[in-house]
Amino acid sequence: MRITVDPDRCVGAGQCVLNAPAIFDQDDDGLVTLLTEPGTAEESAARLAGALCPSRAISVHEG
């Protein structure tokens, strides 16, 4: 699994941080930042964060 984030699309809703705080954070402007690629235990949280992102700023690439 690989995660990409697009801060230009981010609206600062924070769903990513609420659902996967070990993977995502928000910068001083409230925009998504990727802390680390998810480990096996965090993959479901990463998928959920991507699915719940209202602006689709998070892309989850399987494989």
Side-chain angles (χ1 to χ4, degrees):
M1 169 182 285
R2 185 173 55 87
I3 305 288
T4 56
V5 297
D6 184 354
D8 293 332
R9 291 188 70 168
C10 182
V11 296
Q15 291 300 310
C16 52
V17 178
L18 290 173
N19 289 286
I23 302 168
F24 302 102
D25 199 1
Q26 290 176 289
D27 65 14
D28 292 339
D29 294 322
L31 303 179
V32 64
T33 60
L34 182 65
L35 297 174
T36 185
E37 291 291 329
T40 304
E42 299 147 336
E43 286 183 355
S44 63
R47 285 186 193 96
L48 180 61
L52 293 176
C53 179
S55 63
R56 301 293 179 237
I58 298 169
S59 298
V60 178
H61 311 275
E62 299 291 340

